[in-house]
PDB file of all heavy atoms in Angstrom:
ATOM      1  N   SER A  68      35.678  42.074  98.175  1.00 79.00           N
ATOM      2  CA  SER A  68      36.343  43.378  98.076  1.00 79.00           C
ATOM      3  C   SER A  68      36.627  43.996  99.432  1.00 79.00           C
ATOM      4  O   SER A  68      37.394  44.928  99.535  1.00 79.00           O
ATOM      5  CB  SER A  68      35.520  44.359  97.234  1.00 79.00           C
ATOM      6  OG  SER A  68      34.203  44.409  97.686  1.00 79.00           O
ATOM      7  N   TYR A  69      36.016  43.456 100.503  1.00 59.00           N
ATOM      8  CA  TYR A  69      36.206  44.063 101.826  1.00 59.00           C
ATOM      9  C   TYR A  69      37.239  43.339 102.677  1.00 59.00           C
ATOM     10  O   TYR A  69      37.800  43.904 103.594  1.00 59.00           O
ATOM     11  CB  TYR A  69      34.863  44.082 102.583  1.00 59.00           C
ATOM     12  CG  TYR A  69      34.200  45.418 102.519  1.00 59.00           C
ATOM     13  CD1 TYR A  69      34.061  46.087 101.308  1.00 59.00           C
ATOM     14  CD2 TYR A  69      33.703  46.043 103.657  1.00 59.00           C
ATOM     15  CE1 TYR A  69      33.445  47.311 101.237  1.00 59.00           C
ATOM     16  CE2 TYR A  69      33.086  47.274 103.589  1.00 59.00           C
ATOM     17  CZ  TYR A  69      32.964  47.896 102.379  1.00 59.00           C
ATOM     18  OH  TYR A  69      32.347  49.110 102.312  1.00 59.00           O
ATOM     19  N   SER A  75      36.184  49.483 101.967  1.00 62.00           N
ATOM     20  CA  SER A  75      36.468  48.729 100.754  1.00 62.00           C
ATOM     21  C   SER A  75      37.958  48.805 100.422  1.00 62.00           C
ATOM     22  O   SER A  75      38.568  49.861 100.540  1.00 62.00           O
ATOM     23  CB  SER A  75      35.651  49.309  99.602  1.00 62.00           C
ATOM     24  OG  SER A  75      35.881  48.557  98.460  1.00 62.00           O
ATOM     25  N   GLU A  98      23.146  42.785  93.144  1.00 98.00           N
ATOM     26  CA  GLU A  98      24.177  43.140  94.132  1.00 98.00           C
ATOM     27  C   GLU A  98      23.506  43.546  95.442  1.00 98.00           C
ATOM     28  O   GLU A  98      22.336  43.906  95.464  1.00 98.00           O
ATOM     29  CB  GLU A  98      24.974  44.341  93.580  1.00 98.00           C
ATOM     30  CG  GLU A  98      26.456  44.320  93.533  1.00 98.00           C
ATOM     31  CD  GLU A  98      27.292  43.768  94.649  1.00 98.00           C
ATOM     32  OE1 GLU A  98      26.860  42.935  95.461  1.00 98.00           O
ATOM     33  OE2 GLU A  98      28.439  44.193  94.714  1.00 98.00           O
ATOM     34  N   ASP A  99      24.274  43.509  96.522  1.00 98.00           N
ATOM     35  CA  ASP A  99      23.731  43.931  97.817  1.00 98.00           C
ATOM     36  C   ASP A  99      23.827  45.441  97.991  1.00 98.00           C
ATOM     37  O   ASP A  99      22.850  46.106  98.339  1.00 98.00           O
ATOM     38  CB  ASP A  99      24.458  43.213  98.970  1.00 98.00           C
ATOM     39  CG  ASP A  99      25.986  43.315  98.891  1.00 98.00           C
ATOM     40  OD1 ASP A  99      26.520  43.936  97.943  1.00 98.00           O
ATOM     41  OD2 ASP A  99      26.650  42.768  99.788  1.00 98.00           O
ATOM     42  N   ILE A 100      25.022  46.002  97.751  1.00 98.00           N
ATOM     43  CA  ILE A 100      25.232  47.418  98.064  1.00 98.00           C
ATOM     44  C   ILE A 100      26.304  48.007  97.164  1.00 98.00           C
ATOM     45  O   ILE A 100      27.296  47.343  96.846  1.00 98.00           O
ATOM     46  CB  ILE A 100      25.602  47.570  99.562  1.00 98.00           C
ATOM     47  CG1 ILE A 100      25.708  49.036  99.989  1.00 98.00           C
ATOM     48  CG2 ILE A 100      26.859  46.821  99.933  1.00 98.00           C
ATOM     49  CD1 ILE A 100      25.715  49.227 101.512  1.00 98.00           C
ATOM     50  N   ASP A 102      28.936  50.949  97.212  1.00 95.00           N
ATOM     51  CA  ASP A 102      29.608  51.833  98.173  1.00 95.00           C
ATOM     52  C   ASP A 102      30.501  52.784  97.366  1.00 95.00           C
ATOM     53  O   ASP A 102      30.063  53.844  96.922  1.00 95.00           O
ATOM     54  CB  ASP A 102      30.377  50.936  99.151  1.00 95.00           C
ATOM     55  CG  ASP A 102      31.072  51.681 100.256  1.00 95.00           C
ATOM     56  OD1 ASP A 102      30.739  52.844 100.508  1.00 95.00           O
ATOM     57  OD2 ASP A 102      31.966  51.100 100.899  1.00 95.00           O
ATOM     58  N   THR A 103      31.747  52.395  97.090  1.00 94.00           N
ATOM     59  CA  THR A 103      32.599  53.244  96.247  1.00 94.00           C
ATOM     60  C   THR A 103      32.192  53.144  94.773  1.00 94.00           C
ATOM     61  O   THR A 103      32.526  54.012  93.976  1.00 94.00           O
ATOM     62  CB  THR A 103      34.077  52.820  96.344  1.00 94.00           C
ATOM     63  OG1 THR A 103      34.190  51.474  95.875  1.00 94.00           O
ATOM     64  CG2 THR A 103      34.598  52.926  97.765  1.00 94.00           C
ATOM     65  N   GLY A 104      31.522  52.062  94.410  1.00 95.00           N
ATOM     66  CA  GLY A 104      31.133  51.835  93.017  1.00 95.00           C
ATOM     67  C   GLY A 104      32.137  50.975  92.257  1.00 95.00           C
ATOM     68  O   GLY A 104      31.869  50.531  91.142  1.00 95.00           O
ATOM     69  N   LEU A 105      33.271  50.722  92.868  1.00 95.00           N
ATOM     70  CA  LEU A 105      34.327  49.974  92.169  1.00 95.00           C
ATOM     71  C   LEU A 105      33.904  48.534  91.862  1.00 95.00           C
ATOM     72  O   LEU A 105      34.142  48.029  90.765  1.00 95.00           O
ATOM     73  CB  LEU A 105      35.618  49.971  93.010  1.00 95.00           C
ATOM     74  CG  LEU A 105      36.259  51.356  93.200  1.00 95.00           C
ATOM     75  CD1 LEU A 105      37.319  51.330  94.302  1.00 95.00           C
ATOM     76  CD2 LEU A 105      36.882  51.824  91.884  1.00 95.00           C
ATOM     77  N   THR A 106      33.244  47.894  92.829  1.00 96.00           N
ATOM     78  CA  THR A 106      32.839  46.495  92.610  1.00 96.00           C
ATOM     79  C   THR A 106      31.782  46.415  91.517  1.00 96.00           C
ATOM     80  O   THR A 106      31.878  45.581  90.606  1.00 96.00           O
ATOM     81  CB  THR A 106      32.312  45.868  93.923  1.00 96.00           C
ATOM     82  OG1 THR A 106      33.309  46.018  94.923  1.00 96.00           O
ATOM     83  CG2 THR A 106      31.988  44.401  93.744  1.00 96.00           C
ATOM     84  N   LYS A 130      25.156  53.880  98.552  1.00 97.00           N
ATOM     85  CA  LYS A 130      25.602  54.997  99.408  1.00 97.00           C
ATOM     86  C   LYS A 130      26.121  56.092  98.482  1.00 97.00           C
ATOM     87  O   LYS A 130      27.311  56.114  98.140  1.00 97.00           O
ATOM     88  CB  LYS A 130      26.753  54.551 100.312  1.00 97.00           C
ATOM     89  CG  LYS A 130      26.413  53.478 101.325  1.00 97.00           C
ATOM     90  CD  LYS A 130      27.664  53.153 102.146  1.00 97.00           C
ATOM     91  CE  LYS A 130      27.474  51.991 103.067  1.00 97.00           C
ATOM     92  NZ  LYS A 130      28.733  51.541 103.676  1.00 97.00           N
ATOM     93  N   PHE A 151      28.253  52.183 107.949  1.00 94.00           N
ATOM     94  CA  PHE A 151      28.405  50.743 107.770  1.00 94.00           C
ATOM     95  C   PHE A 151      27.150  50.030 108.264  1.00 94.00           C
ATOM     96  O   PHE A 151      26.684  50.273 109.374  1.00 94.00           O
ATOM     97  CB  PHE A 151      29.632  50.246 108.530  1.00 94.00           C
ATOM     98  CG  PHE A 151      29.995  48.840 108.183  1.00 94.00           C
ATOM     99  CD1 PHE A 151      30.613  48.548 106.975  1.00 94.00           C
ATOM    100  CD2 PHE A 151      29.697  47.802 109.057  1.00 94.00           C
ATOM    101  CE1 PHE A 151      30.932  47.238 106.642  1.00 94.00           C
ATOM    102  CE2 PHE A 151      30.029  46.491 108.731  1.00 94.00           C
ATOM    103  CZ  PHE A 151      30.646  46.218 107.523  1.00 94.00           C
ATOM    104  N   VAL A 152      26.601  49.170 107.407  1.00 96.00           N
ATOM    105  CA  VAL A 152      25.380  48.443 107.771  1.00 96.00           C
ATOM    106  C   VAL A 152      25.602  46.934 107.678  1.00 96.00           C
ATOM    107  O   VAL A 152      26.499  46.465 106.965  1.00 96.00           O
ATOM    108  CB  VAL A 152      24.182  48.850 106.869  1.00 96.00           C
ATOM    109  CG1 VAL A 152      23.731  50.272 107.139  1.00 96.00           C
ATOM    110  CG2 VAL A 152      24.515  48.674 105.386  1.00 96.00           C
ATOM    111  N   LEU A 157      24.334  41.110 104.477  1.00 97.00           N
ATOM    112  CA  LEU A 157      25.570  41.888 104.692  1.00 97.00           C
ATOM    113  C   LEU A 157      26.193  41.519 106.041  1.00 97.00           C
ATOM    114  O   LEU A 157      25.485  41.368 107.041  1.00 97.00           O
ATOM    115  CB  LEU A 157      25.254  43.382 104.674  1.00 97.00           C
ATOM    116  CG  LEU A 157      24.882  43.928 103.305  1.00 97.00           C
ATOM    117  CD1 LEU A 157      24.025  45.169 103.425  1.00 97.00           C
ATOM    118  CD2 LEU A 157      26.136  44.240 102.515  1.00 97.00           C
ATOM    119  N   ASP A 158      27.518  41.423 106.042  1.00 95.00           N
ATOM    120  CA  ASP A 158      28.183  40.918 107.247  1.00 95.00           C
ATOM    121  C   ASP A 158      29.114  41.928 107.908  1.00 95.00           C
ATOM    122  O   ASP A 158      29.482  42.951 107.324  1.00 95.00           O
ATOM    123  CB  ASP A 158      29.031  39.694 106.895  1.00 95.00           C
ATOM    124  CG  ASP A 158      30.323  40.077 106.155  1.00 95.00           C
ATOM    125  OD1 ASP A 158      30.249  40.893 105.210  1.00 95.00           O
ATOM    126  OD2 ASP A 158      31.398  39.597 106.547  1.00 95.00           O
TER     127      ASP A 158
HETATM  128  P1  LIG B   1      32.379  48.996  96.646  1.00 68.64           P
HETATM  129  O1  LIG B   1      33.288  48.340  95.664  1.00 68.64           O
HETATM  130  O2  LIG B   1      31.160  49.631  96.016  1.00 68.64           O
HETATM  131  O3  LIG B   1      33.116  49.934  97.531  1.00 68.64           O
HETATM  132  O4  LIG B   1      31.917  47.882  97.650  1.00 68.64           O
HETATM  133  C1  LIG B   1      30.911  46.972  97.377  1.00 68.64           C
HETATM  134  C2  LIG B   1      30.986  45.825  98.342  1.00 68.64           C
HETATM  135  O5  LIG B   1      31.468  46.216  99.635  1.00 68.64           O
HETATM  136  C3  LIG B   1      29.605  45.290  98.585  1.00 68.64           C
HETATM  137  O6  LIG B   1      29.297  44.269  97.683  1.00 68.64           O
HETATM  138  C4  LIG B   1      29.662  44.789 100.025  1.00 68.64           C
HETATM  139  O7  LIG B   1      30.075  43.454 100.052  1.00 68.64           O
HETATM  140  C5  LIG B   1      30.713  45.668 100.679  1.00 68.64           C
HETATM  141  N1  LIG B   1      30.105  46.759 101.465  1.00 68.64           N
HETATM  142  C6  LIG B   1      30.014  48.061 101.113  1.00 68.64           C
HETATM  143  N2  LIG B   1      29.401  48.785 102.069  1.00 68.64           N
HETATM  144  C7  LIG B   1      29.098  47.918 103.053  1.00 68.64           C
HETATM  145  C8  LIG B   1      28.420  48.062 104.318  1.00 68.64           C
HETATM  146  O8  LIG B   1      27.971  49.121 104.760  1.00 68.64           O
HETATM  147  N3  LIG B   1      28.295  46.909 105.043  1.00 68.64           N
HETATM  148  C9  LIG B   1      28.760  45.715 104.625  1.00 68.64           C
HETATM  149  N4  LIG B   1      28.572  44.673 105.429  1.00 68.64           N
HETATM  150  N5  LIG B   1      29.386  45.542 103.452  1.00 68.64           N
HETATM  151  C10 LIG B   1      29.541  46.629 102.669  1.00 68.64           C
END
Side-chain angles (χ1 to χ4, degrees):
S68 51
Y69 260 48
S75 182
E98 231 319 24
D99 51 0
I100 185 165
D102 183 17
T103 61
L105 295 166
T106 305
K130 296 180 187 170
F151 191 75
V152 291
L157 290 155
D158 75 314

